[in-house]
Amino acid sequence: MDIDNKHMYRAYIKDTGEIKNVASIDYLRDTIGVIDRDEDKRLINKTYPFDSVELMRCTGIVAKASYRVVYEFQRLVFEGDVCEFDHCKSRYTGKMLYNPNTCALEMRCDVTVGPYGEKATYKRFLCHLDNIRIIGTIYDKEV
């Protein structure tokens, strides 16, 4: 599948809890522009100040499946998505997060290790992930 715009962002709107696709970033006014619909279902441009949104970068990875597929671009994996994947006959669930130490996006999974159920964080760099399924976002209450 060929998805043209793999360099896009999504924005989590803190006040409403909605996730919208970003149409513009205005560094002079410190605002993010998103395309939305009004009560008559017409397209409108809404702007939000930087501090009222959290940007979610696109990883460029296309998921095998997604809970939100209405349009094909919605199978793209973004920072902040909660995904699952299979590796070595085990299923892992984790969050796509940016690691400032490596300057890369990675998937972090909390796993149980040891005979007493100790917790550890298992990190996978995106170049080693395939067969990813998007099951939600870090902002969802039920995930």
Side-chain angles (χ1 to χ4, degrees), residues 4-69:
D4 292 335
N5 193 355
K6 292 185 180 181
H7 305 289
M8 60 186 185
Y9 289 87
R10 290 190 322 197
Y12 171 72
I13 314 301
K14 295 176 184 176
D15 293 340
T16 63
E18 296 175 294
I19 295 176
K20 302 284 184 182
N21 289 322
V22 172
S24 64
I25 301 174
D26 187 338
Y27 293 102
L28 295 176
R29 295 185 180 95
D30 292 340
T31 59
I32 302 291
V34 300
I35 302 296
D36 206 348
R37 293 192 180 271
D38 63 10
E39 55 275 349
D40 296 326
K41 306 290 186 209
R42 292 180 298 210
L43 291 176
I44 57 171
N45 188 16
K46 281 189 173 178
T47 57
Y48 297 92
F50 280 173
D51 59 355
S52 68
V53 300
E54 287 188 34
L55 281 179
M56 303 164 68
R57 288 172 273 221
C58 182
T59 65
I61 295 175
V62 179
K64 299 280 184 195
S66 173
Y67 76 103
R68 66 172 175 259
V69 173

Side-chain angles (χ1 to χ4, degrees), residues 3-10 55-64 68 73-83 94-99 103-108 124-130 132-134:
I3 297 177
D4 292 335
N5 193 355
K6 292 185 180 181
H7 305 289
M8 60 186 185
Y9 289 87
R10 290 190 322 197
L55 281 179
M56 303 164 68
R57 288 172 273 221
C58 182
T59 65
I61 295 175
V62 179
K64 299 280 184 195
R68 66 172 175 259
F73 72 85
Q74 292 175 322
R75 286 184 42 201
L76 286 169
V77 178
F78 284 82
E79 179 181 16
D81 279 342
V82 176
C83 301
K95 302 170 268 209
M96 290 293 176
L97 298 171
Y98 178 74
N99 184 339
C103 297
L105 287 164
E106 62 189 20
M107 186 167 176
R108 294 187 191 157
R124 296 287 293 186
F125 289 104
L126 297 185
C127 60
H128 299 131
L129 294 175
D130 58 356
I132 295 176
R133 294 169 299 283
I134 303 169

